[in-house]
Every structure is written in C-alpha cells, then in structure tokens.
Amino acid sequence: MNHLIAPSILAADFANLQRDVEMINNSEADWLHVDIMDGMFVPNISFGFPVVKAVKKHATKPLDVHLMIVDPDRYLKAFADAGAYNLTVHYEACPHLHRTIQAIKELGCKASVAINPHTNVSLLKDIIADLDMVLVMSVNPGFGGQKFIEHTYTKISEVKELSALKNPNMLIEVDGGVDSSNALKLIKAGANVLVAGNSVFSAADQPGAISQLKNI
C-alpha cells in the first residue's frame, strides 16, 4: 500500500486552528493526528473533548487520536463520540490491554497501541493479532519538536517482522521528528503511516511539505 500522511495539529497555530484544519483538508494528507495529553502520563497538557469536537466539525479527513493519558479506558467512549476514527492507547498506560483494545473496537473505532522508545517490541506479541495499527514513538512523548531517536528504524523493522507472522495487514505508524530527511528510510524499515508536526507547520509551504512527504 501507499504510505499515509497524518499531520499533527499539536504543531498547528491554535489561534487559527480552523484554518490549519482546512489546509489539511485541502492537502494530500490522509489523516489528521490529534495528540491528547493529560499532564500525568506525559508532562504536557494539550487538547480535551471540546477541541476534538471542534476539529471534527471542520475536518474532512479521519481523526487519528493518540491518547497519551493514564487510565484511558475512562475516556474511550467520549473520544469516540467526539469523532475519533482511530484510537491509540499506550502499552505503558494499560494494565488490561486486551480489554482496552476490545472496548475500542466495540465503539466502532480502529484500535492502535503506541510504544515508547524504551519499550521492547516483543511485549506486543500477545496483542498484535488484535490491532489495526502499532504506533512507534520516535521521540519521548509529551512535546513536539524533539530530536528523532535513531534506534526507531530497528524497532519499526521488529514490529514489521512480528506483524508479518500474526497480522500482515496491520499498519505501522511513526511519530516524532519525522521529516523529508528520514521519511524514505522509515518507509523502507516498514512504516506506512507518518505523523508530521513541526516539519509541516513550520514550512513556508505547508501543503507542499505534506506533498513532499506523501510523494517521497
């Protein structure tokens, strides 16, 4: 399959969020990535339900909602109701991960698990058959604009190898420090969904930056 591009609105201009969402609508992007942070699982705080609902009102692309929060089970239905197409929870935040994944699917959303840079890919072997996507964090979660962690290429390859055995149609997403300098290498390693924040929204030509990543 052709790879997907999911611009992250964490890097957007919050005072002009509708404008930036409409830019994504009119670009070659496939999804719109929404980072939810609670100030507990990660140090930062980002969006809540009202913002997700507002984004959904204007977005024509599916919302890829990444929950960087403790005890995400409390809020799965609320984010599904707010308009999430895909819900990603962190392996590190879910003591009953299988139950959480089934709950996401019962809400009608795609179900995804994210792993932090220190988390071993092998820990996914008992859940990977149930997933629609794995998100490999290529920075420590919580802030945009961080430096890409080079070990990510190996981790993506390991996820690809595991999925080939148990879930060959599963997507592999990468988030953090993605730009035109590493996109092709990430795709060759096995990633097929690229989240891009600063590399898109800091560009003079934002739709052009999306197009460059899409057509790498």
Side-chain angles (χ1 to χ4, degrees), residues 3-11 31-35 64-66 68 86 88 133-139 148 172-180 182-183 186 191-201 210 213:
H3 64 278
L4 307 179
I5 304 299
S8 172
I9 61 167
L10 186 65
W31 293 350
L32 195 155
H33 190 80
V34 185
D35 287 308
D64 178 32
V65 178
H66 178 191
M68 289 178 267
N86 180 74
T88 299
M133 186 171 76
V134 167
L135 167 53
V136 178
M137 291 300 301
S138 45
V139 299
F148 178 86
I172 302 173
E173 185 173 50
V174 59
D175 182 4
V178 175
D179 57 28
S180 58
N182 57 23
L186 289 166
N192 43 30
V193 184
L194 305 181
V195 177
N198 281 358
S199 65
V200 167
F201 288 102
I210 293 170
L213 289 170

Side-chain angles (χ1 to χ4, degrees), residues 81-159:
D81 290 346
Y85 164 77
N86 180 74
L87 275 173
T88 299
V89 295
H90 269 260
Y91 173 89
E92 302 84 4
C94 297
H96 307 289
L97 186 57
H98 181 270
R99 185 167 66 196
T100 302
I101 293 303
Q102 299 310 311
I104 292 171
K105 292 186 173 186
E106 288 170 6
L107 290 167
C109 296
K110 300 293 185 181
S112 171
V113 169
I115 53 173
N116 283 339
H118 72 277
T119 300
N120 197 297
V121 170
S122 65
L123 294 170
L124 297 175
K125 66 183 178 67
D126 292 329
I127 193 68
I128 200 162
D130 298 309
L131 303 180
D132 295 297
M133 186 171 76
V134 167
L135 167 53
V136 178
M137 291 300 301
S138 45
V139 299
N140 289 295
F143 297 94
Q146 295 184 69
K147 185 178 178 181
F148 178 86
I149 296 172
E150 293 294 319
H151 183 60
T152 302
Y153 300 115
T154 300
K155 292 190 74 171
I156 291 171
S157 297
E158 291 172 353
V159 174

